[in-house]
Amino acid sequence: MKASAAEAVVPEPATVAPDDATLVRRAKGGDLDAYDDLVRRYQERIYATIYHMTAHHEDANDLAQETFIRAYKALSSFKGDSGFFTWLYRIAVNRTLNYLKQRNTRNHLSLNDLDINAEHDPAWVALVSEKTPRREASLHELQENLNVALQKLSEVHRMVVTLHDIQGLPHEEIARIMECNAGTVRSRLFYARQQLQAYLSDYLD
Amino acid sequence: MAPSTPPPSGDFERLRKLLSLMAYEAPPPRYFDTFSGKVIARIQADAGEPATAWWGGMLSAMWARPWAGTAVALAFAALVVTGLGKASMLEPALADVDPLLSGAPAVVQAAMLDRALTRKAGETAFLVPSQATSVTPSFPELRPWSPAAAAPGSGAILPASFTPAY
């Protein structure tokens, strides 16, 4: 009986999720379940990046799906020189930039709803408690103005802001994704922020 | 040469906080529950249509690269022009046969052209009889049918006959 009691208290080994390299190797062999795991792992980040670049949910949906399909078809060319995450982001970024170049100028936005937690974000709380010209602004109005301001930037500047200030990626990772050096990323970010400050001065002064 | 030196990040701190609010924008509820399933379904659908892969790929490649589409169109046009040129070279042979045939139906023209070309070939080539590929068939065991030969009990097969009902 002691043995059985001891067995009862032994914790089950935690299931360790396979790393990207393992899933990629399995997916290369045609294992779609493995690729499904990779999609689930990165779908939110890929979607969010494309969404903030396009400010359009339907476009982001199509481009995100296309990114994962293209990546699957190109898996055989993935040598593992960079991480799968970086490689996948590169496909998403290039596809999105190409799409935006082809897309005619469009002011129509198709924005997602804000998460209910946004109202409790310190940035928002600070904004509504300060005496700024937009003190009475609603959260949804701010959301729209932020997106409009972001859309005024050039594609590469918007991409850097999206990846760094919204997604939180470091400069070096962005440089690998955009295939440029980290200094270029920093200078683009500086220029983009300067422009955004001017566009959003009502909220910042 | 290094790019321009960025300022301290504190200069943009308020802007960064504002931009961080954009991370709260989320797609419709349960959107990501079905996302990967759609991707996998599309991959499987693409894999299940190999017949359309080659021409579909070619069409999309031509859309993506206009110069490739132009090159294919030019090659096709060149092929058509060459074909028309070859056809016009054959027309004098028909005229040699009989100028009056120019108004004849196409079937007659084709037959006369074929005969003229065969004659021309016969003038220039020597045909060895032993190498001829066609022979006149002969069947000595077959004789014309006659009622006398088909008498009952002779074993000969009689042709079918019938008597009208009226």
Side-chain angles (χ1 to χ4, degrees):
Chain A
M1 294 301 285
K2 276 186 178 178
S4 63
E7 281 169 9
V9 294
V10 172
E12 289 183 7
T15 20
V16 180
D19 60 3
D20 284 2
T22 306
L23 290 173
V24 167
R25 195 169 55 249
R26 283 170 49 196
K28 273 184 177 180
D31 184 348
L32 279 176
D33 288 339
Y35 194 67
D36 186 72
D37 286 348
L38 284 168
V39 175
R40 286 176 189 278
R41 192 169 288 181
Y42 295 115
Q43 59 186 7
E44 293 182 32
R45 278 183 273 182
I46 293 293
Y47 168 86
T49 301
I50 299 171
Y51 169 76
H52 287 119
M53 284 297 293
T54 57
H56 204 277
H57 167 69
E58 287 77 18
D59 287 352
N61 176 50
D62 292 344
L63 290 169
Q65 284 192 25
E66 206 178 306
T67 295
F68 283 106
I69 291 167
R70 282 186 178 212
Y72 181 78
K73 288 179 178 172
L75 262 185
S76 56
S77 68
F78 175 64
K79 306 296 179 198
D81 300 333
S82 61
F84 176 75
F85 165 79
T86 307
W87 182 74
L88 183 65
Y89 253 84
R90 202 175 290 154
I91 293 173
V93 164
N94 289 334
R95 181 68 195 98
T96 306
L97 291 177
N98 283 337
Y99 171 77
L100 290 171
K101 278 177 194 163
Q102 291 168 1
R103 187 176 81 170
N104 293 330
T105 308
R106 184 172 59 182
N107 295 323
H108 170 66
L109 306 179
S110 173
L111 300 180
N112 288 325
D113 289 335
L114 282 166
D115 189 285
I116 195 163
N117 294 320
E119 289 182 10
H120 308 295
D121 189 280
W124 173 249
V125 173
L127 188 71
V128 295
S129 64
E130 288 170 5
K131 290 186 177 178
T132 64
R134 292 291 182 137
R135 186 165 177 263
E136 303 300 325
S138 74
L139 198 51
H140 291 287
E141 188 186 327
L142 171 64
Q143 177 199 6
E144 191 166 335
N145 286 334
L146 283 172
N147 276 285
V148 169
L150 206 57
Q151 292 299 312
K152 287 180 183 172
L153 299 178
S154 75
E155 285 88 8
V156 287
H157 289 103
R158 199 186 318 156
M159 185 61 80
V160 171
V161 170
T162 299
L163 293 176
H164 189 272
D165 288 344
I166 304 174
Q167 296 265 301
L169 297 183
H171 298 121
E172 290 72 21
E173 185 65 46
I174 298 170
R176 281 192 288 273
I177 290 168
M178 298 187 77
E179 294 177 290
C180 59
N181 60 51
T184 304
V185 172
R186 287 192 181 90
S187 64
R188 282 177 182 170
L189 192 58
F190 175 66
Y191 179 79
R193 284 171 171 174
Q194 273 191 322
Q195 286 200 303
L196 283 175
Q197 268 196 330
Y199 297 144
L200 298 167
S201 57
D202 282 356
Y203 294 100
L204 298 169
D205 292 337
Chain B
M1 185 179 163
S4 59
T5 311
S9 59
D11 288 1
F12 296 110
E13 203 51 42
R14 286 166 64 86
L15 176 68
R16 288 188 62 184
K17 282 182 180 172
L18 211 55
L19 289 172
S20 68
L21 286 171
M22 294 183 82
Y24 287 106
E25 292 181 52
R30 307 183 67 80
Y31 168 74
F32 289 117
D33 292 353
T34 56
F35 182 87
S36 70
K38 288 175 187 168
V39 170
I40 299 298
R42 282 182 63 182
I43 289 172
Q44 285 174 326
D46 284 355
E49 293 171 6
T52 59
W54 69 270
W55 62 263
M58 198 173 81
L59 277 179
S60 60
M62 283 197 287
W63 276 114
R65 299 176 191 81
W67 59 265
T70 309
V72 170
L74 285 174
F76 183 73
L79 201 66
V80 169
V81 168
T82 308
L84 288 174
K86 292 275 183 191
S88 65
M89 284 172 66
L90 289 174
E91 279 183 14
L94 181 61
D96 288 348
V97 175
D98 189 351
L100 295 175
L101 275 174
S102 56
V107 177
V108 176
Q109 285 188 3
M112 293 305 292
L113 177 63
D114 186 46
R115 183 176 290 181
L117 290 173
T118 309
R119 196 186 307 136
K120 250 183 190 177
E123 287 168 4
T124 54
F126 183 70
L127 183 65
V128 179
S130 62
Q131 292 176 348
T133 55
S134 66
V135 292
T136 306
S138 64
F139 304 98
E141 67 277 9
L142 296 179
R143 294 183 199 86
W145 180 82
S146 67
S154 65
I157 300 169
L158 292 172
S161 64
F162 69 96
T163 308
Y166 55 86

